[in-house]
Amino acid sequence: MKKDPQLRTPFLDALLDYVHTDPVPFDVPGHKLGRFVTDLSRRLSPRILSTDANAPIGLDNLYNAHGVIKESEDLMARLCHADHCLFLVNGTTGGILSMFLAVLDNKDKVILPRNCHKSVINALIISGAVPIFVLPDIDEEQGIANGVSTKDYIKAMDENLDAKAVFVINPTYFGIACDLKTIAKEAHRRNMAVLVDEAHGSAFYFGEGFPVSAMDADCDVSCISMHKNAGSLTQSSILLTKGERVAFDEIKRAFGMLSSTSPNPLLLASLDAARKELYVRGKEVYSKNIALALYAKKAISAIPGLSCRTKAEILAARKSDAVFDVDETKLVISVRALGLYGYDVYRELRAVSNIQLELGEVFVVLALIGPGTRKSDVDRLIDGLRALAMRHQKDRKVHHRYAYQYSYPKIIVPPREGYDAPTKVVPLKDSVGEISAETVMAYPPGIPLVIPGELISLETMRLIEFYYREKGEVLKDSAPRMMKVIDRSRWYLANEFALS
């Protein structure tokens, strides 16, 4: 009987076979398969360095894969219903940069949601593509962005028939998916490629009860962070393609320009191993994850001052198909009724209960259930939240210090033009009315508050100041409470763009 090929791990096997031969290394890396001992190998394990080999004979080449890497990528592609797969060692960020550079030329239009990750903004800058932003549905109560409605995507397509591609987030950081199948169908009808950020959607390919995956929705290219919820090592992701609308050779060409020429073999091996494990028991693992999530949501919502909505509750309350489906394993916990900000809860749970959440936002915190989550972990989370709520009973009637609003600035010029323009640095308080020359974001989740080429409004300035005041992690180029803006004394607006 022929062995199921999905039970193989070609790259991992080849890596271990190479190490077991005990070769004499005169190639890089300099630690020579762990012979040079550091505290990393002393305090963790010597095997960490002994398997850190850099593309020796028999281990294939990531950028000209025709051996064990190609075999492993092909197995992943088949399992994910894709035509091609690339293993990524610089995260989904590298994949998004690659897909934009492969598909979009300078001045090409791309339709995309404004609540995209910072890597997408960087991809716009590098490619020179012109964004046509569509605004996501906003959950004002929780202060988070959801998906984009299908009608808004279609409206943008019809108003920009010369757009080359449509970019979709599936799902959002908080687990909300839009009607991906319909969006892809409508885009293809207008001869537009469909590119997808599935950083948080790895479970969609290996489990049941999740939103549709990009490949099953017949999208053209997608990037998936396998490390986020599929068991591979941090920084390891995959890029999938389907159909002939986007040339795979162009994707590989861009990928080769943007990725390290010394890919870490442990990252590649972890992708190989995660794929096999999820093929064998992914449905079982994710079924248990969903059950754990439902258990957690019920218990958390019973705690005074807290709420955590189930998929059924979210869908029942939706106002449009911008909330088309939901990943149940994302625990979006509202802390607003406690009189606390999510940042406060995020920090206090770590300090008092030794619980590390994914992120703290203004009104919510996010906890992720994954393949490695145990029921005992969920019980500790519930106990920690219950104790926190008891400690803050007196705060429950306190009004928030800031009337938080979720809004996006107006784009004046394409991001590349804003990035390349002459600049000056001004105090944040004096930046209102200026055009930003930098990307400013709260991280996580890494969604920009303002990007190069956008007009800094009073609300934008106040929002950035709010994140500073509440000790959020603000990432930007210029110094804290300063802004890099376009120096209009040394720059003029092109004729096709104008301030209103």
Side-chain angles (χ1 to χ4, degrees):
M1 184 175 178
K2 191 174 181 180
K3 185 178 179 181
D4 186 341
Q6 289 291 348
L7 297 178
R8 298 179 59 242
T9 49
F11 183 81
L12 175 59
D13 292 348
L15 176 62
L16 294 178
D17 287 347
Y18 175 76
V19 172
H20 289 158
T21 66
D22 194 23
V24 180
F26 282 95
D27 59 347
V28 295
H31 59 69
K32 306 299 181 183
L33 301 181
R35 289 161 170 79
F36 179 68
V37 178
T38 68
D39 275 357
L40 181 68
S41 50
R42 287 191 193 101
R43 299 172 67 180
L44 294 181
S45 168
R47 287 184 65 82
I48 289 177
L49 293 184
S50 70
T51 53
D52 185 28
N54 186 43
I57 293 172
L59 281 190
D60 206 356
N61 187 299
L62 184 60
Y63 306 105
N64 184 30
H66 55 274
V68 289
I69 293 178
K70 179 69 163 57
E71 289 180 51
S72 297
E73 290 175 332
D74 286 348
L75 287 171
M76 184 75 79
R78 284 198 288 274
L79 187 57
C80 295
H81 305 158
D83 292 337
H84 301 284
C85 172
L86 287 176
F87 282 179
L88 307 175
V89 292
N90 54 341
T92 293
T93 290
I96 287 173
L97 293 173
S98 297
M99 69 165 72
F100 269 64
L101 202 59
V103 174
L104 298 161
D105 294 323
N106 189 36
K107 302 297 184 183
D108 280 344
K109 290 182 181 179
V110 55
I111 298 166
L112 70 165
R114 178 54 181 80
N115 59 320
C116 56
H117 187 261
K118 69 168 185 173
S119 60
V120 180
I121 305 305
N122 290 338
L124 291 170
I125 293 169
I126 292 172
S127 67
V130 177
I132 306 299
F133 285 127
V134 284
L135 298 183
D137 170 72
I138 302 298
D139 185 331
E140 298 287 358
E141 181 182 342
Q142 299 200 99
I144 61 175
N146 292 322
V148 177
S149 72
T150 306
K151 68 177 181 62
D152 286 345
Y153 264 117
I154 292 174
K155 181 174 183 289
M157 293 180 210
D158 286 340
E159 292 176 352
N160 298 274
L161 290 172
D162 56 340
K164 204 165 183 178
V166 174
F167 180 84
V168 186
I169 303 170
N170 185 68
T172 68
Y173 206 131
F174 302 99
I176 303 299
C178 53
D179 187 358
L180 191 59
K181 276 189 175 182
T182 301
I183 292 167
K185 181 180 178 181
E186 293 294 332
H188 288 161
R189 280 184 56 212
R190 294 160 177 82
N191 200 33
M192 300 174 189
V194 181
L195 318 177
V196 186
D197 174 356
E198 282 191 300
H200 294 272
S202 54
F204 300 3
Y205 288 89
F206 309 105
E208 295 179 337
F210 291 101
V212 67
S213 71
M215 293 297 100
D216 284 343
D218 290 326
C219 298
D220 301 292
V221 189
S222 181
C223 289
I224 299 99
S225 294
M226 291 287 288
H227 65 94
K228 283 185 166 63
N229 200 30
S232 66
L233 290 176
T234 295
Q235 203 172 313
S236 60
S237 293
I238 58 175
L239 182 149
L240 303 174
T241 71
K242 189 173 186 177
E244 299 179 357
R245 194 177 302 272
V246 174
F248 185 60
D249 285 346
E250 288 300 309
I251 294 281
K252 288 199 297 182
R253 179 168 172 258
F255 167 66
M257 291 172 61
L258 296 165
S259 300
S260 170
T261 55
S262 301
N264 190 303
L266 292 175
L267 300 182
L268 302 176
S270 76
L271 288 168
D272 208 13
R275 185 263 314 149
K276 175 191 170 182
E277 198 66 26
L278 292 176
Y279 171 73
V280 173
R281 59 192 188 99
K283 291 180 181 178
E284 172 196 352
V285 166
Y286 289 117
S287 177
K288 289 180 178 177
N289 282 177
I290 290 174
L292 274 177
L294 288 168
Y295 164 72
K297 290 177 180 182
K298 182 178 179 181
I300 292 168
S301 294
I303 299 171
L306 298 178
S307 66
C308 187
R309 294 180 296 174
T310 64
K311 172 179 176 176
E313 290 168 336
I314 294 170
L315 293 178
R318 62 183 170 182
K319 298 175 182 178
S320 76
D321 69 351
V323 182
F324 185 77
D325 206 347
V326 181
D327 178 352
E328 191 81 88
T329 63
K330 307 287 194 293
L331 308 185
V332 183
I333 305 165
S334 175
V335 301
R336 188 170 189 168
L338 278 182
L340 299 174
Y341 287 126
Y343 307 115
D344 303 325
V345 174
Y346 176 85
R347 289 188 287 262
E348 187 172 328
L349 273 182
R350 178 68 173 85
V352 177
S353 301
N354 198 24
I355 293 169
Q356 181 61 58
L357 297 171
E358 172 65 12
L359 67 80
E361 258 290 349
V362 181
F363 297 143
V364 301
V365 292
L366 178 63
L368 305 180
I369 305 288
T373 304
R374 304 164 297 186
K375 183 177 181 296
S376 58
D377 299 328
V378 174
D379 287 334
R380 283 189 62 182
L381 173 64
I382 294 166
D383 290 343
L385 288 169
R386 187 178 291 118
L388 180 141
M390 288 291 290
R391 289 193 297 271
H392 292 280
Q393 273 189 328
K394 66 180 186 303
D395 300 325
R396 287 179 58 196
K397 294 182 181 179
V398 175
H399 294 293
H400 282 282
R401 301 181 292 277
Y402 175 70
Y404 177 84
Q405 292 180 330
Y406 209 106
S407 63
Y408 297 105
K410 178 181 178 181
I411 188 163
I412 304 300
V413 296
R416 177 187 277 186
E417 191 166 339
Y419 183 85
D420 287 341
T423 64
K424 62 181 179 180
V425 177
V426 301
L428 176 60
K429 63 182 178 60
D430 297 332
S431 66
V432 176
E434 301 285 357
I435 302 172
S436 179
E438 65 177 330
T439 299
V440 182
M441 73 202 74
Y443 193 88
I447 296 170
L449 305 174
V450 66
I451 67 173
E454 286 185 334
L455 188 68
I456 303 169
S457 65
L458 179 62
E459 181 59 33
T460 303
M461 184 275 289
R462 286 176 174 171
L463 191 53
I464 297 171
E465 181 59 41
F466 163 79
Y467 277 101
Y468 275 123
R469 188 170 64 249
E470 298 304 323
K471 297 181 174 61
E473 188 75 20
V474 179
L475 302 184
K476 59 202 297 291
D477 299 332
S478 57
R481 290 185 167 82
M482 302 295 287
M483 280 294 298
K484 182 183 288 187
V485 300
I486 291 176
D487 185 349
R488 296 192 211 178
S489 68
R490 297 187 291 139
W491 179 83
Y492 64 92
L493 285 168
N495 292 331
E496 63 266 38
F497 301 103
L499 286 168
S500 60

